[in-house]
């Protein structure tokens, strides 16, 4: 850590002569590069969106989702736009890759009817100036038949996953997963 009497500029100067000063300079350069990347990502992400969407906190989450195989996007209920970050990431991925990113959302019952309702997903998509999203909510196993190749979001309650291996429902759900083949998973 820098001493109070030691200016930061002296610690990170390219001509630093001690290993400690060179190490701090390398760390600062990495932080500067990371922040520059985040700022560039922010500007790229908001250029075609409704003003104020996404927020900086949401951009940090979206960036994390976009640049990692897995991410834990955890926060309290109704705080900082976790659902929006997931929907926006799916839309940005589609814009990047040019194909539908089928998304499987596993949520509690309240989430099925509120945060992950088709109308709410479409509201977030509109903030991103994206097309309406085709959402199928699985309230009963027969709803699996409503899912088609162009379904964007399949939303189901985690209790629907309590299946005994080898049963008819297990096999139907397994077949659904294999045919839908989601590329994006959200566990709410």
């Amino acid at each position: 850590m820098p001493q109070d009497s030691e200016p930061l500029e002296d610690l990170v100067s390219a001509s630093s002569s001690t290993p400690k000063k060179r190490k701090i300079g390398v760390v600062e350069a990495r932080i500067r590069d990371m922040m520059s990347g985040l700022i560039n990502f922010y500007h790229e992400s908001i250029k075609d969106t409704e003003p104020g969407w996404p927020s900086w906190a949401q951009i940090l989450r979206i960036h994390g989702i976009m640049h990692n195989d897995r991410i834990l996007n955890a926060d309290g209920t109704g705080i900082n736009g976790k659902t929006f970050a997931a929907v926006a990431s799916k839309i940005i991925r589609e814009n990047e890759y040019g194909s539908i990113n089928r998304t499987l959302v596993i949520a509690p019952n309240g989430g099925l009817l509120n945060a992950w309702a088709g109308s709410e997903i479409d509201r977030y998509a509109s903030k991103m100036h994206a097309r309406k999203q085709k959402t199928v909510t699985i309230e009963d196993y027969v709803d699996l038949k409503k899912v088609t190749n162009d379904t964007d979001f399949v939303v189901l309650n985690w209790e629907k996953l309590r299946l005994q291996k080898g049963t008819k429902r297990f096999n139907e759900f397994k077949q659904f997963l294999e045919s839908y083949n989601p590329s994006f998973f959200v566990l709410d």
Side-chain angles (χ1 to χ4, degrees), residues 86-94 101 103 133 152-153 184:
V87 172
S89 296
K90 182 250 191 224
I91 290 167
I92 292 170
R93 287 172 59 104
E94 285 183 349
N101 277 268
T103 302
Q133 303 291 294
D152 292 290
F153 287 88
F184 201 58

Side-chain angles (χ1 to χ4, degrees), residues 164-180:
Q164 291 239 289
K165 193 173 184 176
T167 63
K168 181 181 176 189
R169 282 194 174 155
F170 177 88
N171 292 333
E172 287 172 353
F173 190 75
K174 183 179 176 185
Q175 184 179 6
F176 153 74
L177 275 181
E178 289 169 355
S179 65
Y180 183 59

Side-chain angles (χ1 to χ4, degrees), residues 43-153:
H43 288 296
E44 188 65 28
S45 298
I46 66 165
K47 69 181 180 186
D48 294 321
T49 65
E50 195 171 294
W53 292 84
S55 69
W56 179 250
Q58 291 163 338
I59 280 294
L60 294 175
R61 287 176 162 81
I62 294 166
H63 185 272
I65 292 168
M66 297 294 296
H67 293 89
N68 294 283
D69 289 336
R70 294 175 198 90
I71 184 170
L72 175 62
N73 183 3
D75 217 332
T77 303
I79 299 175
N80 289 323
K82 298 172 299 296
T83 304
F84 174 80
V87 172
S89 296
K90 182 250 191 224
I91 290 167
I92 292 170
R93 287 172 59 104
E94 285 183 349
N95 292 338
E96 262 186 37
Y97 301 117
S99 63
I100 291 179
N101 277 268
R102 295 182 185 121
T103 302
L104 178 62
V105 179
I106 301 169
N109 271 335
L112 250 92
L113 305 173
N114 297 312
W116 292 104
S119 59
E120 194 68 2
I121 291 170
D122 284 338
R123 183 173 78 87
Y124 291 143
S126 74
K127 303 289 184 195
M128 299 294 293
H129 293 174
R131 65 176 171 74
K132 283 190 159 216
Q133 303 291 294
K134 183 176 179 188
T135 303
V136 175
T137 300
I138 309 299
E139 295 184 47
D140 201 330
Y141 290 99
V142 297
D143 295 333
L144 292 173
K145 295 181 182 351
K146 297 177 185 175
V147 177
T148 63
N149 285 338
D150 64 341
T151 300
D152 292 290
F153 287 88

